[in-house]
Amino acid sequence: MVGLIDLVQTLTTPHPLDRYLELVNPGLTARELRAEITHVSHAVPGSVTLTLRASRQWRGHAAGQYVQIGVSINGVRHTRCYSPIDPESRGERYLQLTVKAHPGGLVSNYLHANAKPGMVVDLAPASGVFHLPERRPDKVLLISGGSGITPVLSMLRTLDAEGYTGQVTFLHYARQPEMVPHRAELSSIAQRRANFRIEYRYPVEPGTVIDGETSTGSGFFDYDELERAAPWFADAQTFVCGPPPLMRAVHTIFEAEGLQDRVLSEEFTLTTVPADPSEATGTVTFSGSDVAADNTGATLLEQAEASGLTPEYGCRMGICFSCTATKVSGCTRNVRTGELDADPDKPIQICINAPVGDVDIAL
């Protein structure tokens, strides 16, 4: 079959076979992975849940992994990473994504406002190391906050579908109860599985007035909260995904307990190490395009786009490695860690690296 496709590809040169097939049906492809939206739900304010039917190239996902979704907005293709919420699968062609419309989020807001049955999107194979191990741990602690619920929800649903008999605690942080997606299903799982403990927290900032009284603050993650939710946490494998403050709180406690190797985390927001733009010096040279510009201190991806280039990218936060390019020379700073790197001829992720002085990138 592959040989036949290669032959047809040759006969249809200069355009790939998929370019002709999509004229007949956008979801019909020989090689490229795509998916058709079959159902759209806005059950949770500010979020949309999409049911997708992937093309035959789809090979499923491990619980917790992410996929890249590509859409065309005003004639420009944009890709973002989202985690399927389905139980782990290897052959099922249907998958679900719950997408929160973040302020300023181009793709998330587009999908929230425009997704409808029949729409076809680009789809990349599942990827990422944040997933349940093949040999399930005896005890599992799942912690999430906000839109970080999606990968751990896939883990929870997988353990439920497999009839997992170990201990599970799922602790989710949200602004208010109606902001918790798929809450009815979570309640159903908790009722069916005596070994599954599902709890929610709605943090209240100090000074907030509730029923006429000023709160001193409550509901935030700390050691006491951890002990209450999962007193056996030291013997468990912990998975955490959510906003930076929650992630830091979890890692701080586990590191203090000497249990840092028992935590696996996924971050869907880019936490940067601040830099002063006024201190930016040097010239950024995109030697593959004969373009050069004064260094503004922004990431290499942002500076490339500001210079009129259109480099490939996906998540824009250092997860998917779609934006990797070779740094020919110069020093760069990782905006997530602050780490400097001056090694020449080295592949780097341009979405999370900013130039320090003169830098040459093969773009």
Side-chain angles (χ1 to χ4, degrees), residues 310-323:
T310 56
E312 183 73 20
Y313 66 85
C315 65
R316 299 183 77 96
M317 61 184 71
I319 297 177
C320 69
F321 292 87
S322 296
C323 67

Side-chain angles (χ1 to χ4, degrees), residues 217-228:
S218 63
F220 293 92
F221 185 87
D222 57 20
Y223 187 86
D224 291 340
E225 194 68 78
L226 179 60
E227 277 281 359
R228 282 191 293 268

Side-chain angles (χ1 to χ4, degrees), residues 29 55 80-81 88 103 111 126-127 142 159 181 183 203 213 238 258 272 281-282 286-287 290 330 362:
T29 64
S55 54
R80 294 294 187 273
C81 297
E88 185 170 301
L111 291 173
S127 186
L142 305 173
L159 295 174
R183 182 159 183 166
E213 297 186 5
T238 298
T272 63
T281 61
F286 301 101
S287 54
D290 293 327

